[in-house]
Amino acid sequence: MSKKRILTGDRPTGKLHLGHYVGSLKNRVALQDKYECFFIIADLHMLTTKPSREAIEAIGQNAHELVLDYLACGIDPSKSVIYLQSAVHEVCEMNLIFENLVTVPRLQRVPSIKDMAKSANLTEIPFGLLGYPVLQAADILMPRAHLVPVGKDNESHVELTREIARRFNTLYGEVFPVPDAMIGDVPTLVGTDGNAKMSKSLNNSIMLSDSAKEVEKKVAGMYTDPARIRADIPGKVKGNPVFIYHDIFNPDTAEVDDLKERYKKGKVGDVEVKQKLAAAINNFLEPIRERRSQYEGQKGLVEEILFEGTMKMREEAAFTLKEMKKAMGLSGVWNKISRKAEEARKKRERA
Ligand code: ATP
Ligand code: MG
């Protein structure tokens, strides 16, 4: 039996950060042998909040950085397809077909849409942004994926994809699997500023490609317990971003437990807690940095990977769209018209 499939990806709005890793990338790397994987660089999705010319001009470079981040984390391009969304035009046609299988009030209830509008400083929601999860459904269903490894903020989008897949199958016949979301061990990683979500746009991220020095600087400036203005004041560990990160990135649990105990008693300074955290994060990032620089040196490699992946996805897209139209009876309409027109033309020529 052929392998089940994964589709997931990122918008080309910048380099990837620790939140992307724990929310989605870690699962992608872990599952790339078990599943046939498709990773999308979702530049059309970027347009829903960033349609500016500058943002579009930056797609090429950002896509390049994204692929480097993937490779650095251990994605193997010989096993997985990495492709550029806007170069596979079938997605627009699928999107349009799916738009008719979902209502406006249903889309208005998707929580992340308002969050995205807010963080992009949009006072009113563009038509395309409202349709963000519908376009995402088209991405996911294009290779007929079964599993979607994403962060918590994307869970409601996969739920909508499931509804669309079921509705399509009920109306027209079984074309799509109903995909499951797979949320990472850390569903939403907090930002270095204590904000609920680490996010490129909020300037509260530690990038996978940050240097050791940059990590040290960012960790030193991290938000901790604001009530603890001196090292001898007992501090709060629960919900404290510094300890949340220690729990995730520091494998030395004895050290973490000791720091927590001393912090709660007012017996350790922030400097020590943060220095140990920076060291742990740097240990985690070091092999990623090393692989990144190896790939960075190979000119044109990233573009070759993207080109090959996009060509493969085009085949999948053409196949799926054909199956959809067949199931819907749409292709039959045009076929009949063409046949009758051809017959009429021949008849005229004979006369
Ligand atoms: P940002 O919010 O940092 O600008 P983004 O949300 O634009 O990034 P996307 O391309 O929308 O990035 O998301 C890519 C994937 O990474 C999604 O699956 C998303 O859920 C996940 N993700 C992004 N930020 C986090 C986070 N802080 N914690 C966990 N998962 C995250
Ligand atoms: Mg997002």
Side-chain angles (χ1 to χ4, degrees):
M1 211 187 81
S2 60
K3 281 182 183 171
K4 287 195 170 180
R5 291 180 161 187
I6 277 179
L7 182 127
T8 187
D10 308 274
R11 294 190 290 173
T13 49
K15 296 176 177 181
L16 295 181
H17 54 59
L18 292 175
H20 294 118
Y21 184 84
V22 293
S24 171
L25 254 173
K26 191 178 170 195
N27 276 333
R28 298 183 207 175
V29 176
L31 294 172
Q32 64 178 335
D33 289 320
K34 200 167 160 215
Y35 286 78
E36 196 179 341
C37 293
F38 296 84
F39 301 127
I40 178 174
I41 304 218
D43 54 344
L44 295 176
H45 271 106
M46 184 197 79
L47 298 179
T48 63
T49 54
K50 292 189 174 174
S52 71
R53 198 177 264 283
E54 295 78 45
I56 295 167
E57 276 164 7
I59 290 174
Q61 184 57 32
N62 283 335
H64 184 92
E65 300 290 348
L66 275 184
V67 176
L68 281 178
D69 281 331
Y70 294 169
L71 300 176
C73 288
I75 298 284
D76 180 346
S78 69
K79 293 179 191 150
S80 304
V81 167
I82 307 175
Y83 75 101
L84 186 70
Q85 184 184 31
S86 65
V88 185
H89 63 78
E90 281 88 350
V91 75
C92 302
E93 216 169 327
M94 287 180 64
N95 178 59
L96 188 136
I97 292 168
F98 290 158
E99 279 173 347
N100 304 298
L101 308 182
V102 61
T103 68
V104 171
R106 173 68 184 88
L107 290 171
Q108 283 168 331
R109 284 198 300 274
V110 175
S112 55
I113 304 296
K114 281 187 208 105
D115 294 343
M116 279 193 275
K118 211 171 124 203
S119 57
N121 294 319
L122 300 169
T123 43
E124 291 188 330
I125 293 179
F127 185 52
L129 181 55
L130 188 66
Y132 191 107
V134 182
L135 182 58
Q136 196 169 338
D139 299 328
I140 295 167
L141 297 177
M142 184 180 269
R144 303 165 307 285
H146 305 86
L147 192 68
V148 192
V150 280
K152 184 81 181 166
D153 61 340
N154 264 268
E155 197 173 29
S156 57
H157 301 179
V158 181
E159 186 49 45
L160 198 97
T161 302
R162 293 167 60 81
E163 290 170 25
I164 288 175
R166 278 198 215 100
R167 184 126 167 80
F168 186 98
N169 291 347
T170 308
L171 269 177
Y172 307 121
E174 291 284 326
V175 170
F176 298 112
V178 177
D180 289 307
M182 179 187 234
I183 310 299
D185 313 335
V186 183
T188 309
L189 184 69
V190 292
T192 52
D193 60 353
N195 189 297
K197 192 184 161 208
M198 179 176 283
S199 162
K200 286 172 242 163
S201 34
L202 295 175
N203 215 355
N204 62 2
S205 313
I206 295 175
M207 300 300 168
L208 299 174
S209 49
D210 276 347
S211 69
K213 278 264 164 304
E214 280 167 315
V215 170
E216 280 163 23
K217 203 170 140 217
K218 286 182 180 178
V219 171
M222 265 183 82
Y223 178 92
T224 51
D225 180 350
R228 200 165 174 270
I229 46 176
R230 275 195 334 262
D232 59 354
I233 299 175
K236 239 171 74 183
V237 163
K238 201 166 176 274
N240 186 330
V242 174
F243 286 101
I244 294 177
Y245 286 18
H246 260 299
D247 281 332
I248 300 169
F249 299 105
N250 191 345
D252 187 347
T253 50
E255 179 177 274
V256 176
D257 288 344
D258 169 61
L259 288 173
K260 283 181 181 170
E261 279 317 302
R262 285 158 60 210
Y263 195 83
K264 282 193 268 192
K265 289 181 188 148
K267 286 194 164 18
V268 64
D270 272 14
V271 174
E272 184 184 341
V273 178
K274 286 178 169 176
Q275 274 172 351
K276 290 196 161 130
L277 176 61
I281 293 177
N282 276 329
N283 271 340
F284 166 76
L285 288 179
E286 199 40 45
I288 296 180
R289 284 188 200 115
E290 218 164 275
R291 268 197 303 266
R292 202 178 204 279
S293 72
Q294 276 170 21
Y295 286 115
E296 241 167 357
Q298 302 181 50
K299 231 174 170 320
L301 174 76
V302 162
E303 284 65 32
E304 238 174 344
I305 290 170
L306 263 176
F307 183 84
E308 294 294 325
T310 304
M311 296 312 268
K312 274 194 202 136
M313 193 46 149
R314 281 183 177 172
E315 284 172 27
E316 289 295 329
F319 176 81
T320 302
L321 190 59
K322 208 166 138 210
E323 291 297 301
M324 283 172 73
K325 287 185 166 177
K326 209 158 66 186
M328 295 169 78
L330 256 184
S331 38
V333 178
W334 178 245
N335 289 346
K336 214 184 261 174
I337 290 172
S338 325
R339 208 172 47 240
K340 283 189 178 168
E342 178 69 8
E343 279 165 15
R345 191 181 59 79
K346 282 190 179 148
K347 204 168 156 195
R348 201 166 357 96
E349 280 171 6
R350 279 198 300 270

